[in-house]
Amino acid sequence: MAHLLREACVVGVLAAIVLLSGSADAAKCYQFMSIDDYPNCVQLDSNLVLYWRTTDNQSLELVPDGDGYMTWIAIGISEAGMKGVDFSVAYLPTQGSSWLITDYFTTNYTEPTYDEQQDAQLLQMPVFDKDNHTLAVIQRPLDSCDKEDTPIFAEVERSIIWAYDWVTVWDKAKSSLADYTGGILTGVRLYTTTNSSTANGTQTVRVAMPSYPVPTAPFSAACVNLALPNDTPYHVVQYQGFNTTQLVVRLMGYVCAAGVVTPQPLGVPYNCAAGTLLLPALPGALPLGCEQLAFVWVPGAGAFQAPPEAGFLIGSGGSTTMVLQVVYWNLAGAVGQADSSGFDLMYTPVLRDASLGVLTVGNTDMRIPANNDSFTALPNICPAACTAKRVLAPVTLVSNFFVMGSLGAAVLTRHIRNGNAIMPVGRINYWDKGYPLFQTVFPESRTLLPNDTLISVCSYNSTGVKTGTFFGYQNGSELCFNYITFYPATAMPDLDYCIARTRDNVTSCSTRTTLTQYAQRATNDTYWNGNRVQVGALNITYYKSQQCQLHDDIDVTPKRKPNTKGAIASIVIVPIVLVLVGVILWTKYSKQEEMERLLEQARVEGIDPLPLS
């Protein structure tokens, strides 16, 4: 039986076995290759480095260089974590034979599966010589149009997964990769077209909980008001969250509008659990005027790096106070846990051309049935009617930060323009909760225009769950959010929260501050004076690139036959809006005529898309 790759692995090391076949000299970048030929190199571990470059904007060359004479090297690429890994494996079948290259893929923590579409080539096989190292040159397409391969987009982060050995042959090792030296490195840009720059004259300020005693309740949230540098205007150009206790599940940083005086004193934590509900601030939660989200992080994520032309505005004339919100799960009721989690903010007095904002899209209207291995919740639609009135000028979309719970399987934010799907804003087709990351927006989707539509889609695997699962922040609930960083904030001053109630055919189209004010008034105005708008009707085909059908659907079951009931459930029907999102189970093995039959059946019968049993 194949051993599962262990989810509890330490990042950077799957499982280490001391083998005597390696040499005493550790692998080093540019020990045997030239930086002129391969401008990118990373030290994966003490025994292995990886070079890479792109050629003709079509292919990616991967050059693993290992210490000692190895029998195989596996280099994998995934969208985020250890699921959905696209492996290129160079291996020596038997002693004295020639090296081979084979393309494999995984959908979960399982043995790699042979890919029927072989896209990897071995341009240079290892030659064992006096230098005592193993170097292979592997080439693969940036985008092969193969659903078992991970596409490589310009500036978009991917994860590198590696494993290798000096003794065991690949055919034996592949069934238990966790037993061999290897690891994962997240947030790597394999295809870059611009030079990253480091801001000059930066400083760092730490904003954190002041040793807060975590309640013993299973779920809690605490806030603390903190001062920001305020002697002059600044731009925050990078931030990194950190947690000092394992009870932390999420950090949120809200900045206060200029001139806002918080009723709670600075530096004194207070309960703000109500601020984790649908609206981020309800009476008694966050201070009024401090609802603008700027910083978001979950444990395991890396740093957010602003583009060279933009930053988050703080300081004189802007935000001089922020609210740090920390969400805790203390499921065991641990006593005496003190928390000092927070953010390190890197800021500069050299203001950039534009200021950043954060747009929240996602789904709070979900009913995930029990024991379903592939279920897609209702899509969240941020409609053209919203962007037409709120987007005042072209907006540049910078990065995605997806947040789902433990049942998450896949997440996608579609981008619709003039009734046609363009490249998605972002997607993770194999969600792996243990490896969150900031994902740069896909290249063709980096401009948001008036009348554009954004559709957020999340899929879940509730296998083994005995009851239905609903939206919420407590353990046992589920989430579906994408926090999209954008600039300039001045081009979209009245929109940072676009969350639909798809069943009611309405969506919030406003800012958190405005929505909070309307919630406090308990208005009976259905559309809240224009801050809620109708979704309208959509009938949208999938996006197709010039090369292949790409990347506008969610497909997490490449080896499975279509599921009739699940396919019908993916056709969302509400009284006013018909949204065709066929995103659950339809793989390249599906039959088009069967899909058309199911669509027609859904239209005629008005099938309930969300059965709970």
Side-chain angles (χ1 to χ4, degrees):
M1 179 182 295
H3 295 287
L4 300 182
L5 288 175
R6 299 183 179 93
E7 186 169 6
C9 302
V10 177
V11 173
V13 178
L14 295 178
I17 294 179
V18 177
L19 297 174
L20 300 179
S21 302
S23 72
D25 297 328
K28 299 176 183 178
C29 279
Y30 303 113
Q31 187 174 11
F32 299 106
M33 304 295 285
S34 166
I35 193 171
D36 294 330
D37 294 330
Y38 290 93
N40 307 291
C41 183
V42 64
Q43 185 95 35
L44 297 179
D45 60 30
S46 61
N47 297 308
L48 186 66
V49 299
L50 180 68
Y51 306 89
W52 72 89
R53 69 181 179 185
T54 55
T55 57
D56 301 324
N57 294 323
Q58 294 182 344
S59 299
L60 175 69
E61 286 186 13
L62 300 166
V63 184
D65 186 5
D67 180 38
Y69 298 150
M70 296 178 174
T71 54
W72 57 270
I73 305 175
I75 301 296
I77 301 172
S78 74
E79 293 172 318
M82 295 294 295
K83 299 180 181 180
V85 182
D86 171 17
F87 275 114
S88 298
V89 184
Y91 61 98
L92 189 65
T94 59
Q95 290 296 329
S97 61
S98 297
W99 280 75
L100 301 176
I101 184 75
T102 305
D103 188 0
Y104 290 85
F105 70 95
T106 68
T107 58
N108 211 321
Y109 289 79
T110 52
E111 176 181 339
T113 301
Y114 179 84
D115 191 340
E116 296 295 334
Q117 179 176 319
Q118 289 290 304
D119 297 300
Q121 300 179 52
L122 191 60
L123 300 185
Q124 178 181 323
M125 69 176 62
V127 176
F128 293 161
D129 55 24
K130 61 182 178 62
D131 292 321
N132 194 26
H133 71 116
T134 305
L135 184 147
V137 180
I138 302 167
Q139 184 182 74
R140 51 149 290 171
L142 292 173
D143 186 8
S144 65
C145 305
D146 180 0
K147 287 190 176 182
E148 277 76 61
D149 289 350
T150 301
I152 308 300
F153 300 137
E155 317 301 339
V156 176
E157 294 78 6
R158 296 305 192 207
S159 294
I160 298 173
I161 297 91
W162 70 93
Y164 56 85
D165 194 48
W166 295 273
V167 178
T168 309
V169 296
W170 168 249
D171 280 346
K172 180 180 179 180
K174 67 182 180 181
S175 63
S176 55
L177 285 187
D179 293 336
Y180 298 91
T181 308
I184 179 171
L185 179 66
T186 61
V188 180
R189 293 181 177 179
L190 292 167
Y191 178 20
T192 57
T193 58
T194 60
N195 294 323
S196 59
S197 60
T198 303
N200 294 322
T202 59
Q203 304 176 66
T204 300
V205 61
R206 172 161 289 192
V207 288
M209 276 287 168
S211 192
Y212 172 69
V214 180
T216 57
F219 168 82
S220 63
C223 288
V224 61
N225 305 331
L226 299 166
L228 295 170
N230 58 18
D231 55 321
T232 190
Y234 296 100
H235 266 151
V236 174
V237 296
Q238 177 180 303
Y239 69 81
Q240 172 68 66
F242 61 91
N243 60 300
T244 62
T245 170
Q246 297 302 310
L247 305 181
V248 172
V249 295
R250 190 176 71 259
L251 304 180
M252 310 287 276
Y254 300 93
V255 293
C256 302
V260 168
V261 178
T262 59
Q264 300 91 347
L266 297 179
V268 179
Y270 54 94
N271 179 12
C272 60
T276 63
L277 301 177
L278 174 58
L279 289 177
L282 295 176
L286 306 183
L288 190 62
C290 297
E291 303 90 357
Q292 182 179 342
L293 180 65
F295 317 119
V296 59
W297 186 84
V298 298
F304 170 82
Q305 180 69 52
E309 64 273 17
F312 290 99
L313 183 63
I314 63 170
S316 176
S319 302
T320 60
T321 305
M322 67 166 284
V323 179
L324 170 66
Q325 182 187 69
V326 185
V327 177
Y328 303 97
W329 284 359
N330 190 353
L331 304 182
V335 178
Q337 296 291 312
D339 180 55
S340 299
S341 301
F343 292 99
D344 286 328
L345 308 180
M346 180 184 293
Y347 62 99
T348 175
V350 181
L351 296 185
R352 300 182 171 187
D353 294 338
S355 293
L356 293 166
V358 177
L359 171 64
T360 302
V361 297
N363 182 10
T364 61
D365 190 7
M366 62 181 70
R367 304 175 187 177
I368 304 168
N371 202 33
N372 190 308
D373 62 353
S374 185
F375 178 82
T376 296
L378 283 173
N380 177 83
I381 302 167
C382 184
C386 178
T387 60
K389 65 188 296 184
R390 300 299 191 198
V391 179
L392 307 182
V395 169
T396 297
L397 304 180
V398 175
S399 70
N400 305 284
F401 191 78
F402 296 108
V403 175
M404 300 177 74
S406 58
L407 302 185
V411 59
L412 164 73
T413 299
R414 303 183 71 194
H415 195 164
I416 314 302
R417 179 170 295 158
N418 300 323
N420 298 309
I422 65 175
M423 182 177 278
V425 175
R427 185 194 76 171
I428 297 178
N429 208 33
Y430 295 91
W431 176 258
D432 195 340
K433 185 183 177 184
Y435 299 95
L437 80 165
F438 292 94
Q439 181 192 75
T440 299
V441 169
F442 287 4
E444 296 175 24
S445 197
R446 290 175 185 165
T447 301
L448 180 68
L449 299 177
N451 293 299
D452 283 1
T453 296
L454 301 179
I455 302 176
S456 300
V457 185
C458 289
S459 291
Y460 303 89
N461 182 346
S462 61
T463 300
V465 179
K466 297 181 180 180
T467 60
T469 303
F470 301 89
F471 169 81
Y473 293 99
Q474 296 86 351
N475 183 45
S477 300
E478 264 301 333
L479 298 173
C480 175
F481 285 124
N482 186 7
Y483 299 98
I484 305 173
T485 307
F486 68 90
Y487 71 84
T490 54
M492 210 160 64
D494 297 320
L495 178 62
D496 64 23
Y497 192 83
C498 198
I499 301 291
R501 290 196 57 81
T502 308
R503 299 171 201 277
D504 298 329
N505 194 38
V506 297
T507 187
S508 299
C509 176
S510 191
T511 64
R512 285 176 167 83
T513 297
T514 300
L515 292 171
T516 300
Q517 293 170 350
Y518 273 89
Q520 291 177 339
R521 297 173 191 170
T523 177
N524 292 321
D525 178 5
T526 303
Y527 297 108
W528 289 28
N529 194 28
N531 292 293
R532 287 181 176 175
V533 298
Q534 289 185 303
V535 171
L538 297 173
N539 188 344
I540 302 160
T541 58
Y542 289 124
Y543 164 74
K544 293 183 179 180
S545 73
Q546 294 179 352
Q547 291 79 26
C548 51
Q549 184 167 338
L550 183 86
H551 292 287
D552 197 32
D553 60 345
I554 289 177
D555 174 13
V556 295
T557 55
K559 285 291 184 181
R560 196 171 109 181
K561 294 181 179 179
N563 179 306
T564 301
K565 182 178 179 182
I568 295 173
S570 73
I571 309 307
V572 179
I573 301 177
V574 294
I576 304 175
V577 57
L578 172 63
V579 185
L580 305 182
V581 279
V583 292
I584 297 185
L585 301 171
W586 296 98
T587 73
K588 66 180 183 181
Y589 303 98
S590 304
K591 294 181 179 180
Q592 181 65 30
E593 59 268 23
E594 177 69 3
M595 172 61 97
E596 294 300 326
R597 185 188 69 78
L598 290 168
L599 292 177
E600 183 60 28
Q601 179 180 347
R603 295 187 187 99
V604 172
E605 299 180 9
I607 295 174
D608 179 9
L610 292 169
L612 288 177
S613 61

